[in-house]
Amino acid sequence: KTNLVSWWGLDSGVGDVITHVADENGGLLGSELVVNDDWTAGGDGAPTFNGDKSVITFSSDSEDSWVQISSIIPAGKVYKFSYTIDSYTTGGLGVWHTTASNFITMPVTVGEHSLYIQGRTSGNLLIDDTPDDTELVISNISCKEVSGNYGRLI
């Protein structure tokens, strides 16, 4: 095929934050990579979890806070990252990808969202509050490897 617009879907992006274009000829999702029990929390204002860690609460405390699962999104691959914002008061979140200093701002309106992210050198799936006085509840976090040839918009 020689028509790059139709091959790569260059006339439309994927996800809530347009960072990738889909290979219109593939793109199946792999199995679920998030295991709720694997979440860890950190920072001076560490988020809290419900009993099975399926719901995460960021509290507005003007302190850095984050959650992560180690070594599940290695570099060189694309992942579909989705989640639900159950309640929102203030602040924002970012999901870190590619390198230690690169994140995508996550939509934080109440409802379901999805993003396409690159794997990280560390392999860690890391969600960080941006800014540090974030107050919201997030759940239904999912991350699945995308097969096919996704193009990254830069």
Side-chain angles (χ1 to χ4, degrees):
K1 210 172 199 181
T2 59
N3 185 341
L4 291 177
V5 171
S6 65
W7 181 266
W8 285 102
L10 294 177
D11 53 346
S12 62
V14 293
D16 289 336
V17 176
I18 307 301
T19 57
H20 290 79
V21 290
D23 171 355
E24 299 292 325
N25 301 288
L28 301 174
L29 296 177
S31 61
E32 182 59 57
L33 299 173
V34 171
V35 175
N36 288 331
D37 278 346
D38 292 345
W39 285 112
T40 59
D44 293 331
T48 58
F49 302 100
N50 69 335
D52 66 359
K53 295 187 175 181
S54 63
V55 178
I56 303 168
T57 301
F58 286 80
S59 298
S60 179
D61 58 11
S62 299
E63 301 290 341
D64 182 38
S65 57
W66 49 264
V67 294
Q68 78 171 355
I69 298 178
S70 297
S71 303
I72 66 167
I73 57 166
K77 298 180 180 183
V78 174
Y79 301 89
K80 181 178 182 180
F81 173 72
S82 57
Y83 58 94
T84 301
I85 298 295
D86 298 312
S87 69
Y88 173 82
T89 303
T90 188
L93 295 175
V95 60
W96 292 84
H97 71 122
T98 59
T99 65
S101 60
N102 197 359
F103 71 88
I104 296 174
T105 300
M106 298 165 55
V108 290
T109 54
V110 172
E112 297 177 1
H113 302 279
S114 67
L115 311 168
Y116 286 77
I117 61 174
Q118 302 290 114
R120 297 185 71 206
T121 306
S122 69
N124 299 344
L125 177 60
L126 175 68
I127 302 170
D128 196 1
D129 62 346
T130 59
D132 294 341
D133 62 346
T134 294
E135 186 174 339
L136 57 79
V137 176
I138 184 172
S139 65
N140 300 319
I141 299 170
S142 171
C143 191
K144 297 179 180 181
E145 184 179 338
V146 178
S147 63
N149 299 305
Y150 270 67
R152 181 172 171 245
L153 299 174
I154 52 174

